[in-house]
Amino acid sequence: MLFQYLGTAAAEGVPALWCNCERCVRSREIGGRALRTRSQAIVDGALLIDFPADTLGHLYRNGLDLLNVRDCLITHTHGDHLYPEDFSMLRAGYAHVPPDYRITFRGSEAVRDALAGVLAQPIREGSAAFEVIRPFEPAAVGRYTVTAYPAIHDPNAGPLFYGISDGERTILYAHDTHFFHDDVWAYWREQRPHFDFVSLDCTNACLPVRYIGHMGLPENAEVRRRMIAEGYADERTVFVSNHFSHNGTNVVYDDFVPIAAREGLLVSYDGMKIEV
Ligand SMILES: [Zn+2]
Ligand SMILES: [Zn+2]
Ligand SMILES: [Zn+2]
């Protein structure tokens, strides 16, 4: 599978809208990989994960065509992952789509409710569908099997994170979440999955976690250690820290890469590709 990060920031972006903090000023000066847009990723150019307001720019920048995308997983309703307004662009007259085109969005019931209004017309016209995906119930999504997991994040946002397998290789895309729920570890103890690529919420970078809902590097390192110790990953598994806030200590890309490397983690950047 070819996994690509399209956007790698938390809600404000890095550098952030309006912000003049030291991390944002330096990120603007450095440019390139230090510039992070809101969270989105794509697998094999076909399975999209999340739909933030930056989606349009992501398509332009990476030469992607939404008509090649027939499935989209939504993690939760927060604005850095979901921008409902753009879903109404799938209406007749706003998009001219081939008659056989249909995209299926999947997420929790909270995501379904957030999109009900904007998807009503595309669903009526047959160009869109929405399916609720429930934790621990593997679902066929295109040529993949997707397993949703409950995230420890704002419960009002219907947060899920996803395992994606093509039958040979398996990805874990864990955004947004704190340490994984005990139920996730218990499910893995029974199911014995093996992940080849793991993307972990690193909103806080090196800032000590002051609230439940996200992780930083110490938590990413602990999750990596535990996944390897319990056999769900191994030394060849690629672990990447992703989803950064400008408030995170040492968050500037160039600063964070060597720090994360000491914990066995790569650092995402917009456009980064991983051959899984
Ligand atoms: Zn987020
Ligand atoms: Zn800032
Ligand atoms: Zn969130």
Side-chain angles (χ1 to χ4, degrees), residues 76 78 80-81 153 176 214:
H76 61 304
H78 284 165
D80 49 329
H81 302 257
H153 193 61
D176 295 356
H214 289 292

Side-chain angles (χ1 to χ4, degrees), residues 53-105:
D54 291 326
T55 298
L56 186 64
H58 293 165
L59 298 174
Y60 295 164
R61 195 197 285 176
N62 296 284
L64 295 167
D65 184 347
L66 269 187
L67 291 177
N68 293 330
V69 174
R70 300 295 179 120
D71 296 287
C72 178
L73 304 172
I74 305 291
T75 56
H76 61 304
T77 65
H78 284 165
D80 49 329
H81 302 257
L82 186 65
Y83 181 65
E85 192 81 6
D86 273 350
F87 287 70
S88 61
M89 297 304 136
L90 191 48
R91 283 175 293 169
Y94 289 80
H96 304 279
V97 298
D100 66 340
Y101 180 78
R102 180 184 173 98
I103 182 168
T104 302
F105 299 95

Side-chain angles (χ1 to χ4, degrees), residues 22-265:
E22 169 266 331
R23 279 92 53 204
C24 287
V25 169
R26 280 196 57 232
S27 294
R28 280 190 200 99
E29 282 169 4
I30 294 168
R33 293 181 182 183
L35 305 181
R36 299 182 182 278
T37 59
R38 273 68 65 87
S39 288
Q40 190 171 39
I42 193 165
V43 179
D44 295 328
L47 172 60
L48 197 59
I49 309 173
D50 282 336
F51 209 98
D54 291 326
T55 298
L56 186 64
H58 293 165
L59 298 174
Y60 295 164
R61 195 197 285 176
N62 296 284
L64 295 167
D65 184 347
L66 269 187
L67 291 177
N68 293 330
V69 174
R70 300 295 179 120
D71 296 287
C72 178
L73 304 172
I74 305 291
T75 56
H76 61 304
T77 65
H78 284 165
D80 49 329
H81 302 257
L82 186 65
Y83 181 65
E85 192 81 6
D86 273 350
F87 287 70
S88 61
M89 297 304 136
L90 191 48
R91 283 175 293 169
Y94 289 80
H96 304 279
V97 298
D100 66 340
Y101 180 78
R102 180 184 173 98
I103 182 168
T104 302
F105 299 95
R106 290 175 181 81
S108 62
E109 283 157 358
V111 172
R112 177 197 61 196
D113 294 348
L115 294 178
V118 289
L119 275 182
Q121 191 177 330
I123 287 174
R124 251 195 332 271
E125 292 162 358
S127 55
F130 190 93
E131 291 180 8
V132 170
I133 191 162
R134 294 194 165 76
F136 308 121
E137 294 182 13
V141 175
R143 64 187 193 87
Y144 311 97
T145 301
V146 172
T147 307
Y149 300 105
I152 297 182
H153 193 61
D154 174 6
N156 296 318
L160 297 173
F161 63 97
Y162 295 108
I164 301 165
S165 176
D166 69 353
E168 291 184 7
R169 311 285 285 174
T170 305
I171 290 168
L172 185 69
Y173 187 78
H175 306 283
D176 295 356
T177 185
H178 193 65
F179 274 133
F180 302 160
H181 199 287
D182 286 345
D183 291 352
V184 173
W185 296 105
Y187 179 81
W188 287 349
R189 245 188 320 276
E190 273 180 23
Q191 300 293 322
R192 309 302 309 168
H194 183 275
F195 296 98
D196 302 289
F197 166 56
V198 178
S199 181
L200 294 174
D201 184 310
C202 198
T203 306
N204 301 301
C206 295
L207 185 73
V209 170
R210 292 172 300 187
Y211 60 95
I212 301 299
H214 289 292
M215 293 190 278
L217 187 61
E219 292 77 27
N220 284 188
E222 173 58 18
V223 168
R224 177 178 179 272
R225 187 204 61 72
R226 184 169 174 186
M227 287 184 74
I228 292 173
E230 298 191 13
Y232 315 130
D234 59 36
E235 294 297 337
R236 286 168 304 184
T237 300
V238 177
F239 283 84
V240 179
S241 294
N242 176 50
H243 186 278
F244 294 98
S245 160
H246 65 121
N247 289 316
T249 312
N250 303 120
V251 75
V252 177
Y253 177 83
D254 297 57
D255 300 339
F256 197 57
V257 168
I259 296 170
R262 290 200 287 272
E263 304 291 351
L265 287 135

